[in-house]
Amino acid sequence: MPSPEEASTSASPSQAPAPTFKSLGLIDPLLEALEQLNFKIPTEIQVQALPHALQGRDIIGVASTGSGKTAAFALPILQKLWEEPKGLFACIMAPTRELAYQISQQIEALGSAMGVRCVTLVGGMDKMAQAVALAKRPHIVVATPGRLNDHLEDTKGFSLRGLKFLVLDEADRLLDMDFGPIIDKILKAIPRERTTYLFSATMTTKVAKLQRASLSNPVRVEVSEKYSTVSTLLQYYLFIPLVQKDVHLIYLANILAQNSIIIFTRTVHDAQRLSIILRTLGFPAVPLHGQLSQSARLGALGKFKSGGRKVLVATDVASRGLDIPHVDVVINYDIPTHSKDYIHRVGRTARAGRSGKSITLVTQYDVELIQRIETTIGKKMELWPTDAEEIALLRERVDEAGRVAVNELKEQAGQRGHVRKRRRNEEGGADNRDRDDDVVEAGMPTKKKSKGRR
């Protein structure tokens, strides 16, 4: 039998007890909220970031979507708020409206025992109602940069001069979407003495520049493997002629009809068109893209999350940040230009240890792109088996549904034109200043304007 000294020296580091939220230093009200939300074990980013954050350090977190980073920055803010509940306490900037709402919901859930008040400021929603909510002195503001800047300039009595915490979430995407100049203006409107957290899936030169401008002696925590997909994801491709993309998509929807599916397109036009084709053929599909009103976008997400719609047809507005549970299959109708966007898209499935499938439609024009993606992820995709006879039988119905979709889109465009004309006449000229601040989707730059641009 070994002596106590021998026993202590022979114990390996891997036998040390796993960290818990309590051992990381969180207070009881937050521990209770975590228990109610069924957050049992801290994720790797939370284990690395929380001790430094609770000591008051600035944090740079390099972590991919789904890593638990929202709680990693929300928990230390809420803990400090419990100690010093004074005024507007924290501001969190996110690149898209959906992500801003998701962050707000999680903060309110985590701070439920503390009565935390959170306001979400995004484009596409009533600005006056937001100003009224700001007048009620919330503790935390979650915002897209464009609408936050609008309120700083226009809303009487609203300022960030007493701010204690600033969070820049999905910083690489904020900068990809050309929010850099607006963020620079916002940084000038907040106190230099503050705590700042910057989280990003990738560390680009733009993010490094923002880091130098906004953080003071930060601790860097990094948990993401660069450009990787999870082992529980089965990745397939279909090699088809360009003119047969629609019929092959419907073939896939048919054989996967019992699954929840996200279909990713490059353009708003195709997201709309394909959702009409799918609905015409009896599939419960709903579109999600940056040109929908905010209520329509939240409605689409809600229907898909609840299972009311089995198919979500989306542009890259849904590829990052959004926590959409139980997605069985991701179909890439269009291959993304950048490999990292492919990884974010297929990351909507096979989450939290579950299995999932991705299927990418590859035409004669996409061979180089698919080879680049395979090189990046370090694996070859498998060919998805098809039944040529069944596809041939579908073709006539799919072509007819395509004609229905084209006509419906023309009618919608005509109606929008009449509405815009009436508004211009009523208002004496359109004011573009309060345009939606996240219509431009991340990661899919286009060289010229076209009717299908996102």
Side-chain angles (χ1 to χ4, degrees), residues 119-122 125-135 147 151:
V119 167
T120 310
L121 306 178
V122 297
M125 299 299 275
D126 182 30
K127 198 172 166 186
M128 186 57 68
Q130 292 172 354
V132 170
L134 287 172
R147 181 53 67 93
H151 280 288

Side-chain angles (χ1 to χ4, degrees), residues 53 57-61 69-78 89-95 99-100 103 107 139-145 148 160 163-171 174 183 186-187 190 194-200 210 214-215:
R57 297 289 299 275
D58 283 8
I59 303 287
I60 299 168
K69 57 188 169 58
T70 303
F73 63 70
L75 290 167
I77 291 172
L78 291 169
F89 202 75
C91 176
I92 299 162
M93 280 192 269
L99 184 54
I103 291 168
I107 287 174
H139 300 113
I140 297 170
V141 165
V142 185
T144 48
L148 177 63
L160 300 175
L163 201 68
K164 302 290 190 300
F165 285 86
L166 174 70
V167 180
L168 299 159
D169 193 21
E170 300 272 8
L174 281 167
I183 292 170
I186 293 167
L187 288 174
I190 59 180
R194 64 172 192 271
T195 304
T196 306
Y197 304 146
L198 184 152
F199 283 83
S200 184
L210 178 61
S214 58
L215 282 84

Side-chain angles (χ1 to χ4, degrees), residues 36 225 356 390 418:
Q36 287 174 359
E225 292 178 33
E390 194 172 329
H418 288 310

Side-chain angles (χ1 to χ4, degrees), residues 42-55:
T43 66
E44 193 177 346
I45 189 69
Q46 291 161 7
V47 169
Q48 289 201 34
L50 283 172
H52 298 295
L54 292 171
Q55 289 169 12

Side-chain angles (χ1 to χ4, degrees), residues 190-295:
I190 59 180
R192 294 177 70 86
E193 292 296 317
R194 64 172 192 271
T195 304
T196 306
Y197 304 146
L198 184 152
F199 283 83
S200 184
T202 56
M203 280 304 291
T204 63
T205 51
K206 285 182 180 178
V207 173
K209 187 178 176 184
L210 178 61
Q211 167 205 322
R212 289 192 295 272
S214 58
L215 282 84
S216 172
N217 190 25
V219 175
R220 176 170 171 147
V221 294
E222 185 167 358
V223 299
S224 58
E225 292 178 33
K226 193 175 181 184
Y227 302 155
S228 63
T229 53
V230 296
S231 59
T232 52
L233 173 68
L234 301 174
Q235 300 176 70
Y236 300 91
Y237 74 95
L238 268 178
F239 188 60
I240 53 174
L242 179 65
V243 293
Q244 293 185 22
K245 280 180 87 170
D246 288 359
V247 71
H248 279 81
L249 179 71
I250 299 306
Y251 169 76
L252 290 173
N254 222 4
I255 60 177
L256 297 166
Q258 300 307 310
N259 295 269
S260 59
I261 304 169
I262 299 182
I263 298 166
F264 280 107
T265 70
R266 186 174 290 126
T267 66
V268 166
H269 179 266
D270 271 340
Q272 287 282 84
R273 186 179 66 82
L274 292 172
S275 63
I276 295 168
I277 290 173
L278 285 156
R279 286 201 302 269
T280 302
L281 294 171
F283 297 96
V286 64
L288 177 66
H289 54 74
Q291 289 181 12
L292 291 172
S293 69
Q294 183 57 35
S295 58

Side-chain angles (χ1 to χ4, degrees), residues 26-86:
L26 293 174
I27 56 175
D28 287 342
L30 294 177
L31 294 173
E32 289 168 19
L34 288 162
E35 185 71 29
Q36 287 174 359
L37 293 169
N38 208 27
F39 287 14
K40 302 288 187 189
I41 302 166
T43 66
E44 193 177 346
I45 189 69
Q46 291 161 7
V47 169
Q48 289 201 34
L50 283 172
H52 298 295
L54 292 171
Q55 289 169 12
R57 297 289 299 275
D58 283 8
I59 303 287
I60 299 168
V62 182
S64 58
T65 180
S67 60
K69 57 188 169 58
T70 303
F73 63 70
L75 290 167
I77 291 172
L78 291 169
Q79 182 137 324
K80 194 69 176 173
L81 179 63
W82 178 265
E83 296 165 9
E84 302 175 26
K86 295 177 186 172

Side-chain angles (χ1 to χ4, degrees), residues 329-359:
V329 183
V330 167
I331 298 175
N332 288 303
Y333 178 82
D334 295 309
I335 297 185
T337 311
H338 302 293
S339 299
K340 70 175 182 179
D341 294 317
Y342 170 84
I343 290 163
H344 289 307
R345 285 181 179 189
V346 301
R348 298 305 92 210
T349 186
R351 292 168 76 81
R354 292 189 292 268
S355 61
K357 297 183 184 76
S358 69
I359 307 166

